[in-house]
Amino acid sequence: MTLYLKNLLLMIIFSMAAGFYAVPPIHADVAVFDRVTTVKTPIRITVLTKSRFFSVGGRLVDIYLNDDHLKRILTGGDGYGYLKYTPPSPGYITIKARSGSDSATGLLLVMTKNDRAIIIEVEEGFKGAVFSEEVKQSSLKAVKTLSKNYKIIYLSRYAGKSITGTWLEKQSFPESVILSWRGPETLTALKKKGIQLHAIIGSAAVISAAAKDIENRFAFEKTKDGTTVKDWGEILEHLQDEPAP
């Protein structure tokens, strides 16, 4: 099976598991992108205004952080709008964008310089959980345990934030940010924000791209650039007992 067909198949599988082929998807004319940064490190809040499948610029958008109004912005001709924000303290912040009667939410994770992050590529890391209740419970237990000592960052290569987020919520995985994978630049951008990238779980291709940035790399398939594991129990054994810095 070619890589394209494999990715397409996984996207369809996650879409079906999330229920996107069972009910019509929620229509929204504004989108908010999840972000990660560290305390007092500026972040660019990004929104997109659109009409169904096409971006629409020149729309006013009100930005709220945890229900507190921050500012009104105007999207550009490409439909994107930006707002610089410097978080004063760590934690999760809900970003809400409202344009007319349309609204959407995103998540901002603010870490301290001592926090360590574990990155999970959802499509590869949890593909076994789609088919097996036993695998799902094992992965769910592992991620919940790891989230006590690490900040979890989810990656989506092709399913997208909406499908990925719906599936994660439906399976009761810990809530956190979902970033789109854009190659090594995704990791470089996180490191520039002062984020400690402690471990990554994903496909052989993704952990290979992370070889220069992340020491602990795990895959459920054969790889020369990380550790091949058979299940989430092995990952837990590798990571849960490591001392904090």
Side-chain angles (χ1 to χ4, degrees):
M1 182 183 293
T2 67
L3 180 60
Y4 172 79
L5 289 176
K6 177 185 175 183
N7 292 348
L8 179 62
L9 178 60
L10 280 176
M11 183 178 71
I12 293 172
I13 290 170
F14 271 86
S15 298
M16 294 178 68
F20 273 68
Y21 290 136
V23 295
I26 297 173
H27 175 64
D29 280 334
V30 60
V32 184
F33 298 87
D34 289 356
R35 289 291 182 260
V36 188
T37 190
T38 51
V39 176
K40 297 182 180 179
T41 302
I43 193 71
R44 188 169 68 167
I45 296 172
T46 305
V47 301
L48 172 65
T49 51
K50 52 188 179 178
S51 178
R52 295 191 179 277
F53 303 110
F54 303 98
S55 59
V56 177
R59 289 182 59 180
L60 292 171
V61 182
D62 288 294
I63 306 296
Y64 300 81
L65 299 182
N66 289 340
D67 295 325
D68 293 325
H69 188 264
L70 183 61
K71 193 173 182 179
R72 175 174 287 185
I73 63 173
L74 181 68
T75 57
D78 59 357
Y80 285 91
Y82 307 98
L83 179 62
K84 183 178 179 181
Y85 173 69
T86 303
S89 57
Y92 287 97
I93 299 174
T94 299
I95 307 168
K96 184 175 183 178
R98 181 181 293 279
S99 179
S101 61
D102 301 314
S103 65
T105 60
L107 200 61
L108 169 61
L109 167 58
V110 185
M111 299 173 57
T112 70
K113 295 296 177 68
N114 291 325
D115 288 333
R116 296 176 294 173
I118 291 180
I119 299 177
I120 303 172
E121 180 192 346
V122 174
E123 292 92 341
E124 283 290 334
F126 299 137
K127 64 181 179 182
V130 175
F131 302 102
S132 168
E133 180 65 22
E134 182 180 354
V135 173
K136 187 189 81 171
Q137 292 302 324
S138 174
S139 58
L140 183 60
K141 176 183 177 182
V143 176
K144 285 184 175 180
T145 299
L146 291 172
S147 68
K148 295 176 183 178
N149 296 314
Y150 302 95
K151 301 301 181 184
I152 303 297
I153 297 175
Y154 298 112
L155 282 183
S156 177
R157 289 180 70 188
Y158 31 78
K161 176 187 169 184
S162 183
I163 292 173
T164 302
T166 299
W167 185 84
L168 289 170
E169 182 181 5
K170 190 174 181 180
Q171 309 307 322
S172 300
F173 279 92
E175 182 183 17
S176 193
V177 291
I178 302 169
L179 305 182
S180 295
W181 174 247
R182 304 191 184 283
E185 308 88 69
T186 301
L187 306 178
T188 300
L190 291 172
K191 291 186 71 175
K192 285 183 178 179
K193 294 288 189 296
I195 295 162
Q196 291 192 51
L197 304 178
H198 185 68
I200 186 167
I201 299 99
S203 62
V206 166
I207 68 169
S208 177
K212 294 182 179 179
D213 296 298
I214 304 178
E215 180 180 357
N216 301 295
R217 303 179 299 277
F218 305 96
F220 295 106
E221 56 189 2
K222 188 176 181 180
T223 174
K224 62 179 182 179
D225 296 306
T227 301
T228 299
V229 294
K230 69 177 185 296
D231 55 35
W232 274 91
E234 280 194 41
I235 296 175
L236 201 54
E237 289 177 5
H238 281 285
L239 296 175
Q240 71 173 342
D241 294 326
E242 292 190 4

